[in-house]
Amino acid sequence: MYDILIVGNGLAGLSAAITCAEAKARVLLVSSNQPERSQSVMAEGGINAALDQKGEDDSPAQHLADTLRAGCDLADAQAVAGLTTAAPEIIRWADRLGTVFSRDEEGRVDQRCFGGQKKKRTAYANAGIGRQLMAALSRQCRKLESEGRIEVREDLRLVSAALGDRGCCGGVFRRVGGGEPEGIAAEGLILCCGGPGGLFGNNTGSLLSDGAAAAALFSQGAAMADLEMIQYHPTTAAGPGKRLLISEAARGEGGRLFTYKEGKPWYFMEEWFPEGGNLMPRDVVSRSIYKVVRELGLGVEGRDEVLLDISFLPKEVLDTRLAEICRNCRTFLGVDPAREPIPVWPGVHYFMGGFYVGADHACSIPRLWAAGECACQYHGANRLGGNSTLGAIYGGRVAAASALGLPPLYGAAEKKALLEREVSRQRELCAAFSGSLRPPALRQRLQELMREGMAIFRSEESLTAALSRLDVLEEEARGLAGGAEAADSLTLTCQLALSRAMLLSALARRESRGAHQRSDFPARDDAGFRAVTVARCGAGGNINVDFRPIGEDPCK
Ligand SMILES: Cc1cc2nc3c(=O)[nH]c(=O)nc-3n(C[C@H](O)[C@H](O)[C@H](O)COP(=O)(O)OP(=O)(O)OC[C@H]3O[C@@H](n4cnc5c(N)ncnc54)[C@H](O)[C@@H]3O)c2cc1C
């Protein structure tokens, strides 16, 4: 029996687990993989904090102002103030745990420019901040495990939560590779299961970020917020089966975007935005590239591509701070950035929306918390590069602190009965599948639909068309396969519901703000829509979307 059950061992999950263990809680950290394989490892560019080490006159207040501005005033200012205030201490903590940050000539943690920020605020580790942070946090976690202060399982996939009338009392899991559902009891469950990239396929993230846990919990009634806010990273390239990220670090070090106009290079970002240039916030850069290609017809050789030039940067910068980017381009694109520009186009990268949480990271269901990319907190309508690794570590801490020391909600027998009930429900739901349609084929069609429906620009027409296509998929899903594929069939039906919630959220927000651009409502409308889009799935599977004030308690 555990006090706290944590699902997901990326930065958010490790941070929550360390916080719980250090507070002497009985904690179980569960994931479907080793930490070395979580998406957090892929973070390249850096982590933000106003360290103000070199007299640059930076402060958490300025970090707060940049974050709120980039998020188009949709984030909860009080929660973001907590994040930016904690940021310098988080860097020092990560440093003490052994994160190998890049250093300046005096040995201080070095910082680089990132988009949408007025100061050099992004601490980095050449082009591999995620690997370094994860190595440090997982080593600390293993140390606590060896001291018997954390229990760890790396072979279990969360399929649902055990819920009673007072709230959550544990999770139901299946072993990776198959097996019957099994329940694990706890006083509270912290979800750190990453973003739902799997609804889109072909994005910059990890295949492990399949959105299955979020979809299952959404279908069980957990409210989701701002699902329409999906970040397209402006500089991604067509890699094998996914979008290869060309980190903002490339532009932070001086990289320039251009295309050809009348036979000559045209540096459109520098012309259109003389102040921010290539380092405008990501939504602005993505829209600009889209405009250059789709509206002005200036894609390179008629393709959906513009070019990113870093070839003129000093060899030392390419070989150290941008080494990973250069290596990836050579390996996966056959492009040598030291000699030629990199072809880029915006790709699905990050989800600002997710579980609807309050400042304490509590979800709409009591005893359920969410942190990291699966939660909607800090980023509003557009995330600043370098803020999500920070948000994951900080959010994991806040969720853990809020989950610690709470009295039992249920007696032991009641908990056992609730877990058994949920395990039986899972078995019954799976038994209902007896068709021949294999989930991967339908999922691929869902992913295509979502990439088109939730593209950079949306309209009532495109969203309604996507919803009609989704109706067809939902009808076909009645014929999904059972037997060994029943669990995946069930996951897919939940993913269909979460996808519907995303499309309905985008339809409901009849304005353009940050990552959400409506061609039929091109203006930002603070009077009507400076509010959080909240999607809920009712008992009969009906999905309802409404708007709630920013910063409201989700349990209200
Ligand atoms: C290519 C790339 C580069 C990036 N660069 C940066 C950067 O430079 N700076 C920055 O701030 N951000 C960056 N980001 C974003 C950032 O890395 C992520 O948002 C952040 O690390 C997410 O951490 P997390 O702990 O929430 O989730 P993750 O690291 O995704 O971890 C989620 C964990 O949950 C597990 N899980 C999922 N479902 C289940 C289930 N059903 N049961 C059990 N376990 C489950 C997963 O296997 C995984 O281990 C980048 C993202 C990408 C894709």
Side-chain angles (χ1 to χ4, degrees):
M1 166 64 201
Y2 301 96
D3 297 323
I4 299 170
L5 182 54
I6 298 167
V7 176
N9 56 9
L11 286 173
L14 292 177
S15 160
I18 293 167
T19 307
C20 289
E22 287 176 348
K24 300 196 172 21
R26 291 167 300 175
V27 55
L28 175 65
L29 174 63
V30 180
S31 197
S32 52
N33 53 279
Q34 309 91 309
E36 292 77 11
R37 292 196 57 225
S38 79
Q39 182 170 295
S40 290
V41 171
M42 297 168 75
E44 293 176 2
I47 176 166
N48 295 336
L51 294 177
D52 196 34
Q53 313 171 95
K54 303 181 188 178
E56 64 270 54
D57 190 29
D58 199 6
S59 64
Q62 292 179 66
H63 185 181
L64 165 70
D66 285 349
T67 303
L68 295 177
R69 189 180 332 102
C72 303
D73 300 314
L74 202 57
D76 174 6
Q78 220 177 324
V80 181
L83 174 83
T84 61
T85 304
E89 188 277 318
I90 285 179
I91 302 290
R92 287 192 286 273
W93 174 75
D95 197 12
R96 281 199 303 279
L97 289 187
T99 306
V100 182
F101 286 107
S102 294
R103 305 271 168 180
D104 67 8
E105 54 293 345
E106 292 187 31
R108 294 172 295 209
V109 169
D110 204 6
Q111 290 180 285
R112 58 167 45 135
C113 287
F114 246 39
Q117 306 196 61
K118 297 223 165 95
K119 295 282 160 65
K120 273 193 179 179
R121 191 178 288 141
T122 307
Y124 63 99
N126 287 334
I129 189 66
R131 216 171 32 240
Q132 292 299 337
L133 287 168
M134 284 294 291
L137 268 66
S138 37
R139 191 172 58 178
Q140 178 66 4
C141 202
R142 274 198 297 274
K143 177 172 169 281
L144 292 163
E145 188 189 2
S146 70
E147 293 166 3
R149 294 161 71 186
I150 296 183
E151 279 185 49
V152 175
R153 293 281 305 265
E154 294 175 350
D155 61 342
L156 292 178
R157 188 183 306 285
L158 180 80
V159 292
S160 65
L163 304 176
D165 54 0
R166 274 160 277 155
C168 176
C169 65
V172 172
F173 298 83
R174 280 181 189 271
R175 247 172 231 235
V176 175
E180 288 301 302
E182 52 183 285
I184 300 179
E187 296 304 340
L189 174 59
I190 305 180
L191 298 161
C192 301
C193 48
L199 302 186
F200 291 79
N202 211 13
N203 61 82
T204 61
S206 157
L207 292 179
L208 293 168
S209 300
D210 58 9
L217 271 287
F218 175 66
S219 298
Q220 286 188 283
M224 293 279 174
D226 288 343
L227 287 176
E228 69 280 19
M229 297 301 178
I230 297 168
Q231 181 166 81
Y232 279 77
H233 195 290
T235 57
T236 75
K242 66 177 304 225
R243 300 296 303 177
L244 179 68
L245 180 80
I246 313 297
S247 164
E248 202 159 287
R251 283 172 289 131
E253 297 293 344
R256 303 174 77 190
L257 285 162
F258 74 101
T259 189
Y260 289 99
K261 187 157 88 172
E262 291 157 8
K264 291 195 203 110
W266 174 40
Y267 297 91
F268 51 92
M269 288 305 297
E270 294 163 37
E271 184 176 312
W272 285 344
F273 304 96
E275 211 182 309
N278 296 288
L279 279 176
M280 290 297 287
R282 290 177 178 177
D283 60 323
V284 179
V285 186
S286 290
R287 281 200 300 282
S288 302
I289 295 174
Y290 188 91
K291 188 171 165 191
V292 163
V293 173
R294 293 282 170 86
E295 289 177 24
L296 305 180
L298 292 174
V300 177
E301 291 173 12
R303 291 191 296 269
D304 277 351
E305 273 171 20
V306 297
L307 297 166
L308 174 64
D309 189 11
I310 56 172
S311 64
F312 59 91
L313 295 175
K315 183 172 177 330
E316 181 228 323
V317 172
L318 297 181
D319 290 349
T320 54
R321 298 189 212 171
L322 303 180
E324 186 134 339
I325 296 172
C326 293
R327 202 165 35 243
N328 285 343
C329 286
R330 286 187 206 108
T331 310
F332 298 112
L333 306 179
V335 169
D336 180 359
R339 295 169 195 278
E340 56 197 321
I342 312 163
V344 293
W345 178 249
V348 171
H349 178 58
Y350 184 85
F351 299 85
M352 276 75 74
F355 286 104
Y356 182 31
V357 298
D360 59 357
H361 281 262
C363 295
S364 60
I365 295 175
R367 297 293 170 101
L368 194 64
W369 292 264
E373 194 170 337
C374 70
C376 178
Q377 190 60 282
Y378 309 123
H379 310 301
N382 177 45
R383 170 184 72 101
L384 282 178
N387 262 0
S388 73
T389 42
L390 175 66
I393 295 174
Y394 176 71
R397 281 184 179 186
V398 174
S402 140
L404 284 167
L406 295 174
L409 261 194
Y410 304 98
E414 217 177 346
K415 245 185 228 139
K416 187 165 176 278
L418 286 170
L419 280 161
E420 281 170 5
R421 188 178 77 179
E422 183 54 28
V423 167
S424 307
R425 194 180 76 94
Q426 283 297 317
R427 284 207 183 96
E428 280 159 27
L429 287 170
C430 285
F433 293 101
S434 59
S436 57
L437 179 60
R438 299 201 50 219
L442 197 69
R443 186 173 285 116
Q444 216 168 347
R445 286 165 60 204
L446 171 67
Q447 292 168 341
E448 278 160 26
L449 180 165
M450 290 302 283
R451 287 202 297 272
E452 285 165 31
M454 299 295 285
I456 293 183
F457 285 95
R458 301 127 189 207
S459 67
E460 175 140 2
E461 197 184 341
S462 69
L463 290 164
T464 312
L467 283 162
S468 304
R469 284 168 67 192
L470 192 60
D471 290 342
V472 174
L473 295 193
E474 282 185 335
E475 190 55 41
E476 287 182 36
R478 292 170 189 272
L480 278 167
E485 289 192 298
D488 197 23
S489 293
L490 179 56
T491 293
L492 180 52
T493 56
C494 296
Q495 287 174 320
L496 289 167
L498 185 59
S499 301
R500 180 172 293 279
M502 275 190 185
L503 292 164
L504 289 173
S505 301
L507 195 58
R509 189 176 283 282
R510 291 154 75 88
E511 64 153 358
S512 290
R513 183 187 295 267
H516 176 68
Q517 293 293 314
R518 290 277 302 252
S519 50
D520 46 352
F521 294 98
R524 172 168 155 171
D525 174 4
D526 276 352
F529 295 101
R530 193 165 164 239
V532 181
T533 327
V534 178
R536 294 175 203 268
C537 184
N542 275 346
I543 295 168
N544 173 51
V545 173
D546 67 357
F547 286 91
R548 304 301 312 161
I550 294 168
E552 189 177 76
D553 176 0
C555 283
K556 234 175 148 181

